Amino acid sequence: MPADVRVKICGLTRAQDIDAVVAAKAAFGGFVFFAKSPRNVNAAQARALALSAPVGLARVGLFVDPDDAFLDAVLAEVPLDILQLHGKESPERVQALRARHGLPVMKAVGVADDGDLDALTTYGRVADMLLVDAKPPRNAELPGGNGLAFDWRLIAGRRWPVPWMLAGGLTPDNVAEAVALTGARQVDVSSGVESAPGVKDAALIARFAGAARG
């Protein structure tokens, strides 16, 4: 299995989470700005974490249908490298936020069946990166981080105009299979490396990263 799979650990909330991510040689660390999530952080918390991250760790801010005022306030305080949009943002909104903030945008697209794949092509024309995630259940409180996987065979061998990252129900036990089936070069995990909702586990992070890279 290729050793160059890049790992994103999302939902970091504590200083020791940054340490664990760095020790695991992850490429991305994610901060969640969504009040309903058990991984939610405020701007002051995220600023401290982002400033403690070493050079080379891409700092990703996850937002769900943010308005301009909220994004402006967070970005005024928190040094982020990438915006992750995890709501129902339109392609036009993605373009507008890229232009407004001058940061790369990663757009999450939920997949449950073949009918969801066209959206990946659409957003691939306006975003800098795609996050191919499991579509949340109809009445889910959270748009992601639900620990659900989708049928990875749906995207096996498929490519889009921009780099993409696989998410949704990944764990240290299944990430190697997911990479092998999909050909993913990048993988994202949140709940799959936690000992409780919102509580990252350094040993699970290490195991996940090792398994992802084979």
Side-chain angles (χ1 to χ4, degrees), residues 23-42:
K25 296 182 171 60
F28 307 86
F31 310 112
V32 175
F33 300 94
F34 183 57
K36 292 181 179 179
S37 171
R39 304 161 191 96
N40 182 55
V41 289
N42 61 36

Side-chain angles (χ1 to χ4, degrees), residues 186-201:
Q186 306 184 106
V187 292
D188 174 84
V189 67
S190 187
S191 61
V193 290
E194 292 180 345
S195 57
V199 182
K200 292 290 181 281
D201 183 302

Side-chain angles (χ1 to χ4, degrees), residues 144-155:
N146 292 297
L148 298 174
F150 64 96
D151 184 351
W152 298 317
R153 292 170 297 186
L154 286 170
I155 61 167

Side-chain angles (χ1 to χ4, degrees), residues 114-130:
D114 280 327
D116 299 315
L117 300 179
D118 285 348
L120 287 163
T121 301
T122 299
Y123 283 104
R125 297 189 185 108
V126 295
D128 298 277
M129 192 183 301
L130 296 168

Side-chain angles (χ1 to χ4, degrees), residues 105-173:
V105 172
M106 179 192 313
K107 179 66 180 90
V109 177
V111 172
D113 54 46
D114 280 327
D116 299 315
L117 300 179
D118 285 348
L120 287 163
T121 301
T122 299
Y123 283 104
R125 297 189 185 108
V126 295
D128 298 277
M129 192 183 301
L130 296 168
L131 184 79
V132 186
D133 200 0
K135 181 177 279 189
R138 188 173 298 276
N139 297 315
E141 283 281 294
L142 304 178
N146 292 297
L148 298 174
F150 64 96
D151 184 351
W152 298 317
R153 292 170 297 186
L154 286 170
I155 61 167
R158 291 180 183 266
R159 295 295 176 265
W160 294 281
V162 292
W164 61 282
M165 183 179 292
L166 180 65
L170 298 179
T171 70
D173 296 320

Side-chain angles (χ1 to χ4, degrees), residues 44-130:
Q45 289 172 295
R47 175 179 172 82
L49 293 169
L51 289 175
S52 73
V55 173
L57 180 68
R59 300 162 299 188
V60 182
L62 186 159
F63 299 88
V64 179
D65 300 306
D67 60 29
D68 287 341
F70 181 65
L71 254 180
D72 289 348
V74 170
L75 288 170
E77 198 166 341
V78 187
L80 295 174
D81 302 303
I82 300 172
L83 301 180
Q84 177 178 332
L85 301 178
H86 219 104
K88 294 182 171 64
E89 301 88 3
S90 67
E92 294 75 22
R93 179 65 171 157
V94 172
Q95 287 181 302
L97 291 176
R98 281 185 76 211
R100 181 182 180 90
H101 299 290
L103 289 172
V105 172
M106 179 192 313
K107 179 66 180 90
V109 177
V111 172
D113 54 46
D114 280 327
D116 299 315
L117 300 179
D118 285 348
L120 287 163
T121 301
T122 299
Y123 283 104
R125 297 189 185 108
V126 295
D128 298 277
M129 192 183 301
L130 296 168

